Every structure is written in structure tokens, then in C-alpha cells.
């Protein structure tokens, strides 16, 4: 009889644990599984392949960017009963134009609301505890790893360290600079004069291109801003390439 009495007393805790497990499963399926593209369901051969690892790294980068939103979400979820209790009879959204309606005035909050809020809060806390103790499969690992992904690609493109610069632009522009260096004393100073044309031509081509379109874009501030910014960007690399190949 004592065993039965103890089990009856513990029954609410058991129910809360089961309900928390249900919330945990919903969070995993709705939030974390899409962020890893269902990594737990991938076949082992796909997980170990190069493409699979690249996809997982991309998922980790995305997870890092959405982590602040997840934090806000987890802070708001325990308060879900609040907007339900003060919900206007016609709903929160409505009117022309669309707007958020004011909450309904409740003179006294019924005790059932506090019971529901308490139960839901403990369910969320239990689910969060399960998330913190869940086995680490590597599917959710917010990081800007793999060299910051897209950010590193952009950074290397800006700094001149990308393959586009090293294999295409630098060799082409640099070859002209080196040729001018070799012929710097031809006919007096022909190479030095030509490098003064070659590098500015590389730097100022956006503005030169803009001059040909002046009749149609003379008032396009955005296009002029882009052309000037690209010219300044090219000037930086013209100096870098000139110093590297003037030999």
C-alpha cells in the first residue's frame, strides 16, 4: 500500500517528465533537424563522404548565424500561455490595414491560468534539460568553422588571396607590369611611362565605363557610388600588384 501511495504521489512528476519529453521531441524535429538537414537520418557512407562533410559544415555555419534567433525563441516559448490568455476575441491580427490588436482587459486572472503556466514552464525546463544532455552527434554544432564559410570567401576575394586573383587577374595585370619593368629603359623611359597607363587603366575602368553610359545614368547615384567604390578597390590592388611584379 505504501508503494502504491508513493507512486500516486510521484505520478504528476512522471506525467510532467513525459510531457517534457514530448516538447523535447517537437523541438528536435521542428527546430534542430531542419538546421542539420536531417543529419541523423543520413546513411553512413554519405556522412563520411567529402560532399556530406561539406554540407554539414555549411549547416554549422547557418546554425551559427541563427543561434541568436534560437536563443530568443527559447526565451519566448515558456511564455506561450500569456498571449493565449489575453487574446482578443477576434484574434491578434486584423483590421485595415493589418495591425496587431490590443490585448483584452482581464480584471482578475483565473487560477487555472497559473496552473497551466506553471505546468508549461516545467515542461519547457525539462525539455531544455534534455536538450543540454542529449547525445552529441555533431549535427548541431554552431560555428563559423570551415574558415568562416562564405565570409572567408568574400574576405579572400577582397584581400586578393582568392584563386580569381592568384590565377587570373594577378598573372594578367602582373605580366604587363613586369614587361614595363623589363623595358623601363627602352627609348629612355618607355616602360615607366607605359606602367603609368597600364595600372591606371586597370584601376579606373569602372569610371571609364560609367562615362560611356553618362547619358543614361548621370543621375543614378547608386551606380556612381558603386563605380567609385570599385575604382578605389582596384587602386588598392593596383598598388599591390605593381609592387609584387615590378621586378
Amino acid at each position: 500500500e505504501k508503494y502504491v501511495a508513493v507512486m500516486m504521489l510521484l505520478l504528476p512528476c512522471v506525467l510532467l517528465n513525459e510531457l517534457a519529453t514530448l516538447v523535447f521531441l517537437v523541438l528536435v524535429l521542428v527546430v534542430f533537424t531542419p538546421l542539420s538537414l536531417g543529419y541523423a537520418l543520413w546513411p553512413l557512407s554519405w556522412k563520411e563522404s567529402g560532399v556530406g562533410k561539406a554540407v554539414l559544415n555549411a549547416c554549422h555555419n547557418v546554425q551559427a548565424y541563427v543561434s541568436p534567433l534560437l536563443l530568443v525563441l527559447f526565451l519566448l516559448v515558456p511564455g506561450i500561455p500569456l498571449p493565449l490568455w489575453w487574446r482578443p476575441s477576434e484574434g491578434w491580427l486584423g483590421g485595415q490595414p493589418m495591425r496587431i490588436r490590443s490585448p483584452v482587459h482581464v480584471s482578475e486572472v483565473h487560477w487555472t491560468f497559473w496552473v497551466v503556466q506553471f505546468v508549461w514552464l516545467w515542461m519547457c525546463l525539462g525539455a531544455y534539460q534534455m536538450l543540454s544532455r542529449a547525445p552529441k552527434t555533431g549535427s548541431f554544432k554552431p560555428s563559423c568553422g570551415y574558415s568562416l564559410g562564405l565570409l572567408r570567401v568574400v574576405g579572400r576575394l577582397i584581400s586578393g588571396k582568392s584563386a580569381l586573383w592568384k590565377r587570373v587577374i594577378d598573372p594578367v595585370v602582373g605580366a604587363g607590369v613586369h614587361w614595363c619593368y623589363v623595358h623601363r629603359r627602352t627609348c629612355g623611359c618607355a616602360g615607366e611611362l607605359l606602367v603609368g597607363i597600364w595600372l591606371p587603366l586597370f584601376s579606373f575602368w569602372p569610371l571609364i565605363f560609367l562615362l560611356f553610359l553618362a547619358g543614361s545614368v548621370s543621375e543614378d547615384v547608386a551606380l556612381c557610388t558603386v563605380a567609385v567604390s570599385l575604382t578605389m578597390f582596384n587602386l588598392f590592388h593596383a598598388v599591390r600588384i605593381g609592387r609584387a611584379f615590378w621586378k
Side-chain angles (χ1 to χ4, degrees):
E1 294 179 355
K2 294 181 179 180
Y3 175 78
V4 174
V6 172
M7 293 303 299
M8 292 299 294
L9 292 175
L10 293 177
L11 183 60
C13 296
V14 175
L15 291 176
L16 283 176
N17 181 73
E18 298 302 319
L19 292 174
T21 303
L22 181 61
V23 176
F24 165 76
L25 292 176
V26 171
L27 290 175
V28 170
L29 294 176
V30 176
V31 178
F32 294 99
T33 300
L35 287 175
S36 62
L37 299 180
Y39 177 78
L41 304 177
W42 292 6
L44 183 60
S45 59
W46 174 253
K47 292 180 180 179
E48 295 178 350
S49 66
V51 176
K53 292 179 180 179
V55 172
L56 183 61
N57 283 322
C59 292
H60 291 165
N61 291 332
V62 173
Q63 292 164 8
Y65 299 135
V66 302
S67 290
L69 299 179
L70 293 180
L71 178 60
V72 174
L73 174 65
F74 290 153
L75 292 175
L76 294 178
V77 165
I80 286 179
L82 295 175
L84 296 179
W85 182 259
W86 281 277
R87 178 180 179 273
S89 58
E90 298 179 354
W92 285 103
L93 298 177
Q96 293 294 336
M98 184 68 69
R99 60 183 178 85
I100 300 178
R101 294 191 175 95
S102 301
V104 64
H105 177 70
V106 179
S107 58
E108 184 177 352
V109 179
H110 198 268
W111 64 269
T112 55
F113 166 77
W114 296 114
V115 173
V116 172
Q117 179 64 68
F118 176 80
V119 172
W120 177 249
L121 176 62
W122 278 101
M123 289 169 56
C124 292
L125 293 178
Y128 295 166
Q129 184 184 37
M130 294 179 189
L131 286 173
S132 65
R133 296 184 176 182
K136 302 300 186 292
T137 62
S139 59
F140 187 79
K141 188 179 179 181
S143 67
C144 291
Y146 212 14
S147 303
L148 293 177
L150 180 61
L151 292 179
R152 179 175 178 178
V153 172
V154 175
R156 292 178 67 87
L157 183 63
I158 293 176
S159 64
K161 297 180 180 179
S162 67
L164 177 63
W165 287 99
K166 294 297 184 181
R167 300 182 181 181
V168 180
I169 301 178
D170 282 17
V172 172
V173 180
V177 174
H178 178 69
W179 186 91
C180 292
Y181 174 81
V182 172
H183 296 278
R184 67 188 184 282
R185 294 292 180 259
T186 303
C187 297
C189 57
E192 294 178 353
L193 292 176
L194 290 175
V195 77
I197 298 175
W198 177 246
L199 287 180
L201 186 64
F202 165 74
S203 302
F204 291 97
W205 71 260
L207 291 179
I208 297 173
F209 180 75
L210 186 64
L211 291 176
F212 285 101
L213 302 177
S216 57
V217 299
S218 57
E219 297 180 357
D220 194 331
V221 178
L223 188 57
C224 293
T225 303
V226 171
V228 172
S229 301
L230 188 56
T231 299
M232 299 301 294
F233 175 74
N234 289 345
L235 278 172
F236 166 77
H237 288 287
V239 174
R240 178 182 62 81
I241 295 173
R243 293 179 61 182
F245 287 88
W246 185 255
K247 57 185 178 180

